[in-house]
Amino acid sequence: MYIKSIQFENYRNLKNDIFFPQKGINVICGDNAQGKTNLIECMWLFTGGRSFRGAKDRELIRFEEDTASAEVCFFAGEREQTIKINIQNNRRTPILNGVPKSYMSQIIGVFCAVIFSPNHLGLIKNGPEERRNFIDGALCQIKPSYASVLTKYRRVLNERNALLKDIPRHPELEDTLDVWNEKLAEEGAKIAFERMKYLRKLSVPAKDFYSGISSGRENLSLSYKNAYYADENMNCMEIKETLLEKITRRQTDDIYCGYTTGGIHRDDMTIRINNRDAKSFASQGQQRSAVLALKLAEARVLGQEKKENPIILLDDVLSELDLSRQNYLLTKLNSLQVFITCCESSAEAGHIVTISSGTIQNSSRRDNPPP
Ligand SMILES: Nc1ncnc2c1ncn2[C@@H]1O[C@H](COP(=O)(O)OP(=O)(O)O)[C@@H](O)[C@H]1O
Ligand SMILES: [Mg+2]
């Protein structure tokens, strides 16, 4: 898929205008604080996800204004489509191909993209939540129904936690926990099953990309980490059994703590480099390469599953890579539509887009210099 145009209205500092990117690599150049990340962030919002910078919806509206909107026209599913996002009252609402929708979650999976920004560098070293979010986010784009399973799980978890807090004062309620244990295991098993299946698919390209980035010197492997002994060969039913057993066994602890101490909301992904846990041992450079490999692999799997390549958004990552890694990246992404931001126009190839005080300007192609 590819973006044909994006139109902005009061979106952060971006000038109210329409931007026509190229099909291949678009290098977005500009000094600091000119709007490069704002542009990337805006494109990401069309996936239905939240701002990857953790911005609240109201922060996306231009200072002193009450509403903002952005509209993308893109080619996907063999036709031209549009998504318009209106932002008002700290809320975003989408219009998909002219049809208003109530929730952003209703457009997930229509416009697909993979984002890599410095915010994602913590993926290796930070807590498990970031790694779970990485897997869950990727799965939601592939399979939008996964998002509703996640929502259901969270609801069950909240209800069970509320009950756990009530039990010390109302011990008779303990009998009702069984029902919640069962529901939690049921929804949890669906999630763990999908996550494990996804990691199996992701592992292959992630390993290849990491090997390519490290010139074949290093090896990356991924596995799903859980505390209820579920493994890759189990089906959903078997995962549910082991999960339920674990949840039931920890019930007394859970009542004491007042929350659910075990389950898929505590799971993790183990990333190993040369058979060592990257979380404990990876250097800065290895972390950057590993995240890059994971993101490229995410794009590969997404492309395979949707039978269409996603848009690639790379914010401020190019300058952090040495020349050989930059070239590796650009070669691998050659056939996709890519948006890369950088301060100086250091990229070897691509269509240069300059941005200054929120004004976007297309300039000549770098890979096609005038004679
Ligand atoms: N809601 C907003 N309204 C107007 N300007 C904004 C808003 N949010 C951020 N900005 C401005 O956008 C600029 C930062 O843009 P950004 O895309 O992060 O820069 P960079 O080009 O360095 O990536 C800053 O000048 C900031 O003041
Ligand atoms: Mg920036």
Side-chain angles (χ1 to χ4, degrees):
M1 58 179 281
Y2 61 93
I3 297 178
K4 297 182 98 170
S5 67
I6 309 176
Q7 191 161 5
F8 311 96
E9 178 110 21
N10 293 344
Y11 189 89
R12 292 213 194 242
N13 79 329
L14 300 180
K15 191 181 156 205
N16 293 353
D17 204 351
I18 184 160
F19 165 47
F20 297 94
Q22 298 288 312
K23 263 188 177 178
I25 294 177
N26 294 268
V27 183
I28 301 157
C29 303
D31 292 340
N32 283 331
Q34 300 305 306
K36 301 184 296 296
T37 304
N38 293 347
L39 176 58
I40 297 281
E41 172 187 53
C42 182
M43 290 193 246
W44 173 252
L45 294 182
F46 296 117
T47 63
R50 282 173 214 286
S51 159
F52 57 86
R53 295 158 136 180
K56 297 199 172 66
D57 291 340
R58 74 167 82 86
E59 293 166 5
L60 308 173
I61 304 171
R62 193 189 324 286
F63 302 143
E64 321 297 339
E65 299 285 344
D66 296 324
T67 62
S69 69
E71 179 164 10
V72 66
C73 173
F74 61 107
F75 194 85
E78 292 169 2
R79 66 196 173 110
E80 207 173 282
Q81 307 199 48
T82 58
I83 295 176
K84 183 169 186 185
I85 298 176
N86 289 312
I87 313 165
Q88 193 173 10
N89 299 331
N90 201 27
R91 198 168 172 250
R92 282 168 297 150
T93 41
I95 300 173
L96 172 60
N97 296 320
V99 183
K101 306 276 174 188
S102 307
Y103 304 102
M104 289 302 289
S105 58
Q106 291 171 287
I107 62 161
I108 295 177
V110 179
F111 176 96
C112 291
V114 169
I115 169 80
F116 181 17
S117 83
N119 297 54
H120 300 101
L121 285 172
L123 193 58
I124 312 293
K125 291 266 178 174
N126 287 358
E129 190 177 2
E130 277 191 41
R131 289 179 289 280
R132 285 194 303 272
N133 286 344
F134 166 72
I135 303 174
D136 290 343
L139 269 168
C140 284
Q141 289 202 69
I142 292 174
K143 200 174 175 175
S145 62
Y146 180 79
S148 38
V149 181
L150 277 180
T151 309
K152 195 161 173 199
Y153 182 85
R154 266 185 226 118
R155 212 167 48 224
V156 173
L157 183 65
N158 288 339
E159 302 253 14
R160 186 176 187 272
N161 286 343
L163 186 59
L164 288 167
K165 284 199 184 67
D166 279 348
I167 289 175
R169 281 179 287 128
H170 304 280
E172 72 282 2
L173 289 174
E174 190 169 343
D175 290 344
T176 60
L177 258 180
D178 283 353
V179 182
W180 295 104
N181 295 353
E182 178 81 21
K183 284 187 190 176
L184 200 68
E186 170 117 34
E187 298 309 315
K190 291 179 197 163
I191 293 168
F193 180 74
E194 290 296 339
R195 286 179 181 166
M196 283 192 266
K197 194 164 83 179
Y198 179 68
L199 279 195
R200 269 202 309 279
K201 285 183 193 153
L202 191 75
S203 288
V204 183
K207 198 185 182 75
D208 284 351
F209 285 128
Y210 192 83
S211 165
I213 295 166
S214 63
S215 311
R217 284 192 295 268
E218 294 182 358
N219 171 56
L220 179 94
S221 64
L222 307 174
S223 57
Y224 193 66
K225 187 174 165 190
N226 66 76
Y228 41 90
Y229 308 107
D231 71 55
E232 291 188 354
N233 305 313
M234 288 182 172
N235 62 29
C236 229
M237 206 54 210
E238 290 164 329
I239 300 173
K240 186 191 157 185
E241 297 297 312
T242 146
L243 196 48
L244 184 60
E245 202 242 290
K246 170 92 175 180
I247 293 167
T248 315
R249 194 150 30 86
R250 298 186 73 132
Q251 187 162 309
T252 316
D253 285 352
D254 286 358
I255 294 171
Y256 178 77
C257 294
Y259 62 88
T260 306
T261 57
I264 61 104
H265 56 288
R266 308 291 290 262
D267 289 353
D268 200 352
M269 160 170 69
T270 306
I271 304 161
R272 289 197 185 79
I273 296 173
N274 293 342
N275 286 325
R276 287 214 170 81
D277 188 359
K279 187 168 166 46
S280 319
F281 296 108
S283 71
Q284 289 274 348
Q286 284 173 322
Q287 287 176 58
R288 193 169 290 126
S289 301
V291 178
L292 186 56
L294 285 172
K295 292 286 173 177
L296 291 173
E298 180 190 359
R300 171 68 60 83
V301 176
L302 188 52
Q304 282 164 350
E305 299 285 316
K306 302 285 274 192
K307 313 255 180 294
E308 196 157 45
N309 282 325
I311 309 288
I312 309 290
L313 305 170
L314 303 168
D315 190 26
D316 270 342
V317 292
L318 208 60
S319 55
E320 303 283 337
L321 299 172
D322 60 35
L323 219 61
S324 73
R325 284 184 171 84
Q326 284 187 19
N327 286 335
Y328 177 84
L329 180 66
L330 294 176
T331 323
K332 287 290 160 192
L333 296 174
N334 230 336
S335 57
L336 283 70
Q337 192 182 36
V338 182
F339 296 87
I340 309 176
T341 67
C342 61
C343 279
E344 64 300 333
S345 48
S346 62
E348 288 296 318
H351 177 76
I352 306 288
V353 177
T354 52
I355 178 160
S356 170
S357 305
T359 302
I360 305 168
Q361 243 152 18
N362 289 296
S363 23
S364 63
R365 283 185 78 91
R366 248 304 176 80
D367 50 354
N368 238 346

